[in-house]
Amino acid sequence: MSDLRITGIDAIKEAMDKYSSSSANFFSIQNDEEIAKVRFAHGDDKDLDIFVVHKVKLAGKDRYVACLAPAKTACPLCQAGHKPTVRMFLTVLDTRDNKKKLWDRGKNEIPNILGLITRYGRLDNRYYEIQRHGKKGDKETKYQFFPLDPIPNPEPIERDPIIGEAAFVMHKDQEEMKQLLQEIDLSAPTGYGVQAQSSGQTGKMF
């Protein structure tokens, strides 16, 4: 499954250009100007969880399915006209409650994270303050990142698998995708945010 992940700056940018058009605790900053202090669980650009995915409605719930195209495999969902998109799934340690959470971000946030890596090195070697700029429901909401001092000898933060049959992003082979096409509503909107399903949260992740 690792060959489905987009790694490296050049590959990430290529995927963004080409495709731009579970249970988990989800990270969010709810209010305009609110700040959260976090530590990322990722190192460099090759350690980011970036996937090309299809958002589908399955059994009344929004789910992500990994697109097979990045693995040079014909993707039945693409062939059916279901447009994929690039998503970045950041695992963060949220100091507000000291819990590990998942932050689902779109292509517009990827250059910001790559910029932090280029300028400051590994993401997980320091804490960051993240400030929200935008009121609830504002589609133009942006986030500002403030790096804090490096951490001496930082301990790694374990990440849960992002992709898999029971993971946040479902992995299906070609035959399973063809079966999935019989179960999903292709006419349903394919917006970007997937809602929490089994963590007790109901709001979107961004």
Side-chain angles (χ1 to χ4, degrees):
M1 297 182 193
S2 60
D3 60 347
L4 294 175
R5 189 171 69 175
I6 312 301
T7 61
I9 290 177
D10 291 340
I12 291 169
K13 289 181 178 178
E14 180 182 355
M16 288 169 59
D17 291 338
K18 185 174 181 179
Y19 294 98
S20 60
S21 189
S22 77
S23 65
N25 288 317
F26 297 126
F27 175 81
S28 66
I29 302 175
Q30 296 290 334
N31 302 310
D32 187 28
E33 304 300 324
E34 182 180 348
I35 295 175
K37 179 181 174 183
V38 308
R39 184 174 164 225
F40 292 102
H42 308 267
D44 59 17
D45 57 283
K46 296 178 178 59
D47 194 35
L48 296 173
D49 287 318
I50 297 176
F51 296 94
V52 178
V53 298
H54 296 271
K55 180 190 172 188
V56 303
K57 188 170 289 294
L58 184 63
K61 296 180 180 179
D62 291 337
R63 295 295 308 272
Y64 283 136
V65 181
C67 179
L68 299 180
K72 311 301 182 185
T73 302
C75 178
L77 282 174
C78 288
Q79 293 173 333
H82 196 289
K83 186 177 179 181
T85 187
V86 177
R87 302 300 294 181
M88 174 173 60
F89 305 103
L90 295 168
T91 300
V92 302
L93 179 65
D94 187 349
T95 63
R96 293 175 296 181
D97 55 12
N98 205 37
K99 291 183 178 180
K100 186 172 59 177
K101 300 178 182 179
L102 191 64
W103 199 19
D104 175 6
R105 307 306 301 148
K107 58 167 289 187
N108 291 336
E109 205 72 70
I110 294 175
N112 295 331
I113 296 299
L114 293 177
L116 294 177
I117 293 171
T118 300
R119 187 176 181 89
Y120 300 106
R122 293 180 60 90
L123 284 174
D124 58 1
N125 71 353
R126 68 183 72 227
Y127 285 92
Y128 282 84
E129 289 184 339
I130 305 175
Q131 184 172 27
R132 177 182 177 125
H133 296 288
K135 296 180 180 179
K136 289 183 180 180
D138 185 353
K139 294 183 179 180
E140 299 300 318
T141 292
K142 299 184 184 303
Y143 295 90
Q144 190 171 6
F145 300 85
F146 300 96
L148 303 181
D149 292 337
I151 304 169
N153 303 315
E155 292 289 333
I157 300 174
E158 183 178 356
R159 305 203 308 262
D160 297 325
I162 297 296
I163 184 170
E165 182 56 37
F168 184 60
V169 177
M170 294 190 298
H171 178 265
K172 301 286 187 180
D173 62 23
Q174 287 180 311
E175 291 305 314
E176 290 171 329
M177 273 199 180
K178 291 176 183 178
Q179 178 61 37
L180 191 65
L181 282 169
Q182 309 302 315
E183 303 174 19
I184 64 176
D185 181 3
L186 288 176
S187 66
T190 55
Y192 296 129
V194 172
Q195 293 184 339
Q197 292 152 26
S198 56
S199 63
Q201 299 185 31
T202 57
K204 287 190 177 181
M205 287 179 284
F206 57 89

